[in-house]
Amino acid sequence: MLRFALFRALSLGLSLVAASLVVFFALEIVPGDPAAAMLGVNAQEDTLAALRAELGLDRGPVARYFDWAGGLLRGDFGISYTYRTPVAQMIADRLWVSLPLALYALALTLLIAFPAGLAAAARRGKGTDLTIMGVTQLGIAVPNFWFAMLLVLAFSITLRWFSAGGFPGWEAGVGPAMKALTLPAIALALPQASILTRVLRSALIETLGQDYIRTARARGLTRRQVLWRHALRNALIPVLTIIGLQFSFLLAGAIIIENVFYLPGLGRLIFQSIGQRDIIVVESVVMLLVFAVILVTFLVDLAYAAVDPRLRRPR
Amino acid sequence: MIGADPQTGTGGAPGGGAAAFAGLWIGAALVGLFVAAALLSFVWTPYDVTRIDVAAKLQGPSAAHWFGTDHFGRDLFSMIMVGARTSLAVALVAVGIGMGVGVPLGLTAAALRGGWLDELIMRANDLVFAFPALLIAVMITAVFGPSAFNAILAIGIFNIPVFARLTRGAALGYWQLDFIRAAQVCGKGRARISVEHVLPNLFNILIVQGTIQFSLGILAEAGLSYVGLGAQPPLPSWGRMLAESQTMFSFAPHLALFPGLSILLAVLGLNLLGDGLRDRLDPRRGLAP
Amino acid sequence: MSSDRTRLAGGTALLVAGLALAQAAFAQRTDIVVGMGLEPPHLDPTTAAAAAIDEVVYANLFEGLTRFAPDGSIQPALAESWDISEDGTVYTFRLHEGVTFHDGSTLDAQDVKFSLDRARSEDSTNAQKGLFAGIEDVTVVDPLTVQITLDQPDGGFLFSMAWGDAVIVAEETADAAKTAPVGTGPFRFENWVQGDRIELVKYPDYWGDPVALDRAVFKFISDSTAAFAAMMAGDVDTFPIFPAPENLAQFEADPRFRVIVGSTEGETILSTNNKQPPFDDPKVRQALAHAIDRQAVIDGAMFGYGTPIGTHFAPHHPAYLDLKATSAHDPDKARALLAEAGYADGFTTTLKLPPPSYARRGGEIIAAQLREVGIETEITNVEWAQWLEQVFRGKDFGLTIVSHTEPMDIGIYANPDYYFQYDNPDFQSLMDALRAEADPEARTALLQQAQTIIAEDFVNGYLFQLAKSGVADARIEGLWENAPTQANDLTGVRWTE
């Protein structure tokens, strides 16, 4: 197990190095000079050169890559070109929006998917199952940003229960902050809950067909007891994998929803920074998100290997 | 949604039999409808979608304009028709890229199982997979500027590891089977076996996965256009129509309703079709009790 | 606060003041939330061009020697008065006494010298370094007097000193101004929640007339739907430049709000690359001009807000000449002109559109209008950074739409290297004559001549003067109606009732 973990950790490290190279050099060729973007139309050539020197942009890309990557290792993300504040601080501030939003959406996803999945599996082929499956088909097909617009129309513009967007900050209190994240979390959770419901249902039905379940049934346990005591526990493994993936997707995939609700999260930061050619911020945020995905995959692999020793061989 | 994990699929249809059958046909009908609208738009639309008539702006649905008009006085129904063309084309080509690159990679990896090339291909796949599609799109458009082509490229790149993994996984199973071993004994090369014997057996699951990826592609295209990274004006696209309507839908809700419903129905149709096809074509699923 | 008040008043005066304050607390709000579409990158107006910086700090937090008044005229600010030498090259400014920075230090002539020298120095990162190019020397005469020597007379020097890029900063705090700005204005910086808002509070020791507001919050909402909802919900008290003109009708219908429509200095034009064929042919440019229906652009892109223009000049300026007839909408004439120029079958060109909706929406309408006369356009939506790189610096474009928001900027047509690359020696000598001319009537004549030349040369497609269309709570007064410069000056703003 330890050898497997070490091997996977090495692979994780190499993936991160490769990702950092891709991210840095892909964005290196982005047209547009950060200095020109900041100084506008009347900037003089000498002024631009002065600013470029101040930002460290007059040095070669390889030197800057090592500065940046070396800094990342030490937890130093550099200084934003436009805001001139440490990138790490900006990312931390945004994470305080994106991370709670992802967790909130994940919690909603689980709250919807588990009862729905269990109910559908328990009454397989019956009306309840058909209804739940029909609703999840819609949930998967609905574009989440459109769903978000409909939520705004209904709950913000018409009913005025929620504000249409924005984030008051955690210093305004947990209540108002959570309230601001509610509609975005619902919009994010609906498609994910639909996917998870279907996965859970399939996994449950599959385990219910296994021999040991039949044995348990033969021992006189009711269908419901079997479902709760045996099937659910065994169905959890594939479900946990999906939940792991969904979490990293919620973190990175909230970009569009953050735009709909103008939440100051990581996604908005990326768009804003690209617009201002604040490339160092874009690079660092992209790396962070990629790191999150790779890390989750790594943890899921480890969890799998812990459960099923056959998987410990290199894939 | 872009973040949806393609490999989870959408699960089998409930109750097998009748419901799955109905789902397949409803899906086929919806997809057929949008394909027909897209094809028809090449030769005929009720109005010219590039013609702007500001005086006729923001009209609700009527006999003259079935879905009403937008803020430039363009006919929404015509725009939905041409938008179907954009959506379907982007998603289709993106799936084509994903299959065209991913399937050969997956076949190669399976044929050389455990070798360094297999490891390299799969690690590279993991790496691409670690980039959420939207991030790929944002990076591509930052470099090359927004366009339908770049949207295709971004969604296509995202599709490559999906097909590579699927192909490798399924092909590995066939390499264990007797008829493949027999071919090997006969002296056929690994490349030839992959193409002649393994690939034909993968058609069914590829068609099923292709349908699912197609529907995800439509959602992805809509999302990218919505944030301005997809097809550029004057070419209509459903996602951009939604983005443009956002400030107006408090007083002109039809602007957001019709493009949104179009995306919903197109994706729903493809998912139903995919599930129905899976129940019929996918050998691994056909065994469900 | 309370100790200040006790010092100020005694006996009955205190009682009266106390009553008045208590009453005011019940009757009137003394805080305001101002909505803005874009968040400033940082808060130092002397090192960046972003309009959003000035929209927060101008006149509120930082002040210069002179300032723009709401009507666009130049007023004294930190300089109480000034003398100009006979030959027009030496300006002697006398500063107000008792002006302090927000850190408590006193403003003196040395700060003025530091600020101006910094802006014109070799390693200056001032976005408008050109404003200071004529300064030859800055001398401190005494702590409240500073003398500026120019290399030649410049009728626009006081105007230059009113820009946000020319505000006075102290040497000790200048470098930290990006995140912790210290100025001399009536508000001091308190807090910045990045991605959401900036908070300013009243500076009690302000040298000038005290402001009515105790607190000002600038809230950044880039999404128009959210901006609409925030106004409707009362989360934001005013949006001086409301991002979606299509929503203004709904505000107008609601008695809680007041829609404020004024003018800006922004001439919105279909900028044309005069060196790129076929636009190097004046006939083609004339055809372009006649193909455009300005009113349709204003109605379709701006929902009717905007004043059509026929040349590059603000209609509210006294020297403005109405030249719209020169380029009236006439598609037949446009087609005929194209045929004469050898493009009977039309041609294809590029149209690069920066982010504002006047450009994105206006671009789609103009593309449709050009198609009517046979000109096909390939639209590319670009970010500002790309626009600067490709269009402004690279001159790689056929057409683009942009609003030239700097006041009195007809002089850009005299620069053959400017991105639209108009090169006309007659116009250039006219501008030289204008610079040397001091007599107002003669200046007007020259300006009108200049407007006529560029209108008749069809340098660019002149579309409309950008309106400043904003919305405010009906109980707020004192907001600027027009925008002579990019600013949200809150010094005169108060709540009524």
Side-chain angles (χ1 to χ4, degrees):
Chain A
M1 182 66 199
L2 187 65
R3 226 184 115 223
F4 173 78
L6 281 175
F7 180 79
R8 294 294 295 142
L10 183 71
S11 163
L12 170 108
L14 287 176
S15 299
L16 286 177
V17 172
S20 74
L21 284 166
V22 171
V23 170
F24 186 87
F25 288 97
L27 290 170
E28 191 55 31
I29 52 172
V30 167
D33 174 7
M38 284 175 66
L39 291 177
V41 294
N42 289 351
Q44 298 177 359
E45 213 38 66
D46 57 339
T47 325
L48 286 174
L51 184 59
R52 271 188 221 114
E54 198 179 312
L55 297 173
L57 286 169
D58 50 345
R59 299 183 316 127
V62 177
R64 276 185 292 122
Y65 170 76
F66 281 107
D67 276 2
W68 174 69
L72 287 186
L73 288 179
R74 295 190 310 271
D76 171 11
F77 289 54
I79 304 285
S80 153
Y81 297 153
T82 24
Y83 289 96
R84 305 293 178 87
T85 50
V87 178
Q89 186 57 47
M90 292 170 72
I91 292 182
D93 287 349
R94 302 304 179 106
L95 261 182
W96 272 106
V97 178
S98 289
L99 203 58
L101 175 61
L103 288 171
Y104 194 174
L106 190 66
L108 289 178
T109 302
L110 299 180
L111 276 178
I112 300 169
F114 270 83
L118 280 165
R123 296 179 188 76
R124 190 180 179 207
K126 307 260 172 51
T128 316
D129 185 23
L130 287 176
T131 312
I132 290 175
M133 287 297 98
V135 171
T136 56
Q137 277 288 11
L138 283 177
I140 290 171
V142 71
N144 63 4
F145 57 92
W146 184 61
F147 183 56
M149 286 168 68
L150 296 182
L151 288 176
V152 169
L153 184 62
F155 295 105
S156 305
I157 293 176
T158 311
L159 293 174
R160 299 197 188 165
W161 290 355
F162 293 91
S163 85
F167 188 66
W170 290 100
E171 66 271 17
V174 175
M178 291 297 279
K179 195 177 170 198
L181 295 180
T182 298
L183 290 186
I186 293 175
L188 278 170
L190 179 81
Q192 302 300 333
S194 302
I195 292 172
L196 193 62
T197 303
R198 297 179 82 89
V199 172
L200 183 63
R201 174 182 170 275
S202 307
L204 285 172
I205 288 172
E206 205 162 306
T207 31
L208 282 175
Q210 306 273 336
D211 289 342
Y212 69 95
I213 299 280
R214 289 171 204 240
T215 320
R217 282 278 279 163
R219 284 209 325 262
L221 289 174
T222 65
R223 201 180 155 77
R224 180 171 293 255
Q225 284 170 320
V226 169
L227 189 68
W228 281 96
R229 289 201 197 152
H230 297 277
L232 183 59
R233 189 188 301 161
N234 285 289
L236 272 182
I237 295 170
V239 168
L240 281 176
T241 316
I242 301 302
I243 293 175
L245 282 170
Q246 283 185 321
F247 180 67
S248 43
F249 278 121
L250 282 174
L251 199 54
I255 297 179
I256 293 182
I257 291 295
E258 283 177 10
N259 271 285
V260 177
F261 291 97
Y262 71 102
L263 295 173
L266 288 176
R268 272 261 311 272
L269 185 63
I270 289 190
F271 272 97
Q272 201 181 317
S273 307
I274 285 211
Q276 294 163 333
R277 288 300 177 271
D278 198 348
I279 297 303
I280 191 163
V281 176
V282 183
E283 287 163 349
S284 301
V285 179
V286 171
M287 264 317 285
L288 186 78
L289 292 175
V290 169
F291 174 70
V293 177
I294 291 180
L295 187 70
V296 169
T297 316
F298 171 70
L299 293 177
V300 166
D301 275 0
L302 280 192
Y304 253 37
V307 175
D308 186 350
R310 283 172 305 172
L311 292 172
R312 286 182 200 165
R313 274 171 292 148
R315 277 191 293 168
Chain B
M1 109 140 235
I2 291 171
D5 176 43
Q7 297 213 314
T8 64
T10 51
F21 191 71
L24 178 66
W25 287 106
I26 295 173
L30 282 172
V31 174
L33 183 72
F34 282 105
V35 171
L39 290 177
L40 182 61
S41 76
F42 281 101
V43 289
W44 177 82
T45 51
Y47 294 84
D48 177 358
V49 292
T50 59
R51 213 189 127 74
I52 284 174
D53 179 8
V54 175
K57 73 182 174 191
L58 296 175
Q59 292 176 1
S62 65
H65 298 280
W66 293 350
F67 288 178
T69 60
D70 77 348
H71 56 294
F72 291 155
R74 292 175 297 194
D75 177 55
L76 218 57
F77 186 76
S78 309
M79 292 177 75
I80 295 274
M81 281 176 74
V82 183
R85 194 204 295 172
T86 316
S87 269
L88 295 179
V90 168
L92 194 65
V93 179
V95 171
I97 293 175
M99 277 198 190
V101 181
V103 172
L105 282 178
L107 284 176
T108 312
L112 304 173
R113 182 184 186 188
W116 64 270
L117 194 57
D118 176 24
E119 186 64 20
L120 185 70
I121 290 174
M122 293 327 286
R123 290 306 120 210
N125 262 322
D126 286 351
L127 186 62
V128 176
F129 208 68
F131 286 83
L134 196 63
L135 279 189
I136 299 181
V138 168
M139 284 167 62
I140 287 179
T141 48
V143 177
F144 301 108
S147 69
F149 177 77
N150 289 330
I152 290 174
L153 205 60
I155 304 169
I157 290 176
F158 168 71
N159 273 327
I160 292 173
V162 174
F163 283 103
R165 281 183 178 187
L166 179 78
T167 306
R168 180 178 178 273
L172 280 180
Y174 285 104
W175 279 98
Q176 312 291 327
L177 296 181
D178 290 341
F179 78 101
I180 302 273
R181 297 210 169 149
Q184 249 179 315
V185 173
C186 292
K188 282 197 183 179
R190 285 177 168 265
R192 218 175 131 191
I193 295 174
S194 289
V195 175
E196 287 182 6
H197 299 288
V198 179
L199 187 59
N201 285 297
L202 302 181
F203 277 154
N204 284 350
I205 62 162
L206 286 177
I207 286 174
V208 171
Q209 192 68 41
T211 316
I212 303 293
Q213 293 309 115
F214 196 172
S215 79
L216 287 175
I218 287 184
L219 276 180
E221 191 276 337
L224 290 179
S225 319
Y226 175 76
V227 289
L229 303 179
Q232 297 294 293
L235 188 66
S237 104
W238 294 341
R240 213 184 54 251
M241 287 165 78
L242 281 179
E244 285 172 357
S245 74
Q246 211 172 346
T247 55
M248 291 171 243
F249 85 150
S250 55
F251 56 91
H254 67 280
L255 290 181
L257 193 64
F258 293 112
L261 277 179
S262 302
I263 301 171
L264 176 70
L265 292 177
V267 175
L268 182 67
L270 280 163
N271 281 341
L272 290 174
L273 186 64
D275 285 352
L277 286 175
R278 188 203 316 265
D279 290 342
R280 295 204 149 193
L281 298 178
D282 190 339
R284 295 176 306 175
R285 293 271 178 168
L287 306 173
Chain C
M1 277 285 278
S2 64
S3 69
D4 289 345
R5 280 190 207 120
T6 345
R7 237 190 308 127
L8 275 173
T12 38
L14 179 68
L15 188 68
V16 171
L19 276 175
L21 268 171
Q23 210 171 13
F26 284 119
Q28 271 170 358
R29 283 176 56 188
T30 53
D31 64 317
I32 192 169
V33 181
V34 180
M36 284 171 56
L38 283 179
E39 181 175 18
H42 57 72
L43 290 175
D44 185 354
T46 65
T47 59
I53 299 177
D54 282 326
E55 286 171 7
V56 173
V57 303
Y58 189 82
N60 298 329
L61 212 154
F62 284 113
E63 296 169 303
L65 292 172
T66 57
R67 58 162 292 172
F68 288 104
D71 63 354
S73 62
I74 303 299
Q75 303 284 336
L78 291 176
E80 182 181 56
S81 61
W82 50 79
D83 291 320
I84 308 171
S85 66
E86 288 278 308
D87 65 352
T89 58
V90 181
Y91 283 70
T92 309
F93 290 95
R94 268 176 308 281
L95 304 177
H96 275 286
E97 218 181 315
V99 177
T100 56
F101 284 100
H102 300 153
D103 61 358
S105 62
T106 308
L107 171 110
D108 60 21
Q110 188 57 44
D111 295 314
V112 176
K113 179 176 167 55
F114 166 75
S115 301
L116 298 181
D117 283 350
R118 174 171 171 259
R120 65 199 185 94
S121 72
E122 206 160 283
D123 57 355
S124 154
T125 51
N126 195 298
Q128 309 287 350
K129 201 174 167 184
L131 294 177
F132 312 93
I135 300 180
E136 217 168 56
D137 182 50
V138 185
T139 318
V140 174
V141 179
D142 65 52
L144 290 179
T145 312
V146 65
Q147 202 170 63
I148 299 170
T149 312
L150 306 180
D151 54 5
Q152 59 180 42
D154 176 2
F157 184 66
L158 292 170
F159 182 82
S160 297
M161 289 300 104
W163 283 55
D165 306 79
V167 296
I168 304 304
V169 292
E171 186 165 5
E172 299 77 31
T173 51
D175 286 340
K178 291 188 173 69
T179 49
V182 175
T184 56
F187 294 95
R188 67 176 171 76
F189 172 76
E190 187 179 65
N191 185 26
W192 184 352
V193 179
Q194 268 184 5
D196 191 60
R197 64 181 184 275
I198 289 173
E199 295 166 5
L200 307 182
V201 291
K202 185 178 193 166
Y203 175 53
D205 297 329
Y206 182 57
W207 60 272
D209 297 333
V211 287
L213 297 171
D214 286 334
R215 183 176 195 79
V217 177
F218 291 88
K219 194 162 173 63
F220 311 111
I221 305 178
S222 57
D223 183 272
S224 322
T225 321
F228 176 72
M231 274 309 299
M232 280 291 173
D235 296 342
V236 171
D237 299 315
T238 174
F239 234 107
I241 301 175
F242 193 76
E246 56 268 36
N247 292 130
L248 291 176
Q250 286 164 286
F251 289 123
E252 243 160 27
D254 192 326
R256 291 183 294 153
F257 302 109
R258 192 159 56 97
V259 170
I260 307 169
V261 179
S263 58
T264 69
E265 297 299 319
E267 291 83 19
T268 311
I269 57 173
L270 176 68
S271 235
T272 310
N273 190 340
N274 279 244
K275 288 255 165 74
Q276 189 188 76
F279 300 120
D280 53 347
D281 183 343
K283 277 210 171 64
V284 173
R285 297 202 302 264
Q286 190 181 355
L288 210 57
H290 289 301
I292 297 169
D293 178 356
R294 294 183 182 98
Q295 199 55 49
V297 177
I298 296 172
D299 290 344
M302 307 309 292
F303 283 68
Y305 296 97
T307 314
I309 51 173
T311 183
H312 193 109
F313 213 75
H316 53 80
H317 195 284
Y320 174 73
L321 212 54
D322 185 354
L323 293 161
K324 290 195 291 287
T326 321
S327 46
H329 182 219
D330 187 348
D332 291 331
K333 190 169 178 187
R335 273 184 288 262
L337 283 162
L338 281 178
E340 264 179 65
Y343 294 98
D345 300 329
F347 58 87
T348 301
T349 186
T350 55
L351 176 57
K352 295 196 171 169
L353 303 174
S357 67
Y358 66 72
R360 294 277 164 91
R361 285 189 188 155
E364 281 200 65
I365 297 174
I366 283 177
Q369 292 174 352
L370 295 183
R371 198 173 301 115
E372 297 278 303
V373 301
I375 303 172
E376 286 294 328
T377 49
E378 284 167 17
I379 294 181
T380 317
N381 287 345
V382 293
E383 294 294 331
W384 278 118
Q386 284 166 291
W387 187 87
L388 282 169
E389 183 94 350
Q390 296 173 8
V391 177
F392 194 79
R393 286 178 200 289
K395 301 175 178 76
D396 172 22
F397 73 108
L399 301 169
T400 184
I401 297 179
V402 71
S403 199
H404 285 257
T405 52
E406 271 132 27
M408 282 298 286
D409 53 2
I410 195 169
I412 56 180
Y413 287 73
N415 175 3
D417 290 329
Y418 207 63
Y419 72 105
F420 46 72
Q421 306 187 87
Y422 172 60
D423 191 355
N424 179 348
D426 292 346
F427 187 85
Q428 287 152 23
S429 51
L430 190 69
M431 282 293 120
D432 289 339
L434 179 70
R435 214 158 317 164
E437 185 58 67
D439 175 52
E441 262 176 53
R443 282 180 71 92
T444 299
L446 287 171
L447 280 170
Q448 295 192 334
Q449 218 178 323
Q451 293 173 50
T452 311
I453 293 180
I454 59 168
E456 288 175 351
D457 268 353
F458 305 100
V459 183
N460 295 311
Y462 309 105
L463 302 175
F464 57 89
Q465 194 74 17
L466 198 63
K468 179 182 196 289
S469 49
V471 58
D473 190 300
R475 295 166 296 172
I476 299 175
E477 65 175 31
L479 289 164
W480 282 15
E481 182 181 322
N482 300 318
T485 188
Q486 284 146 342
N488 290 314
D489 177 1
L490 299 177
T491 50
V493 173
R494 62 177 68 247
W495 289 85
T496 59
E497 284 176 25

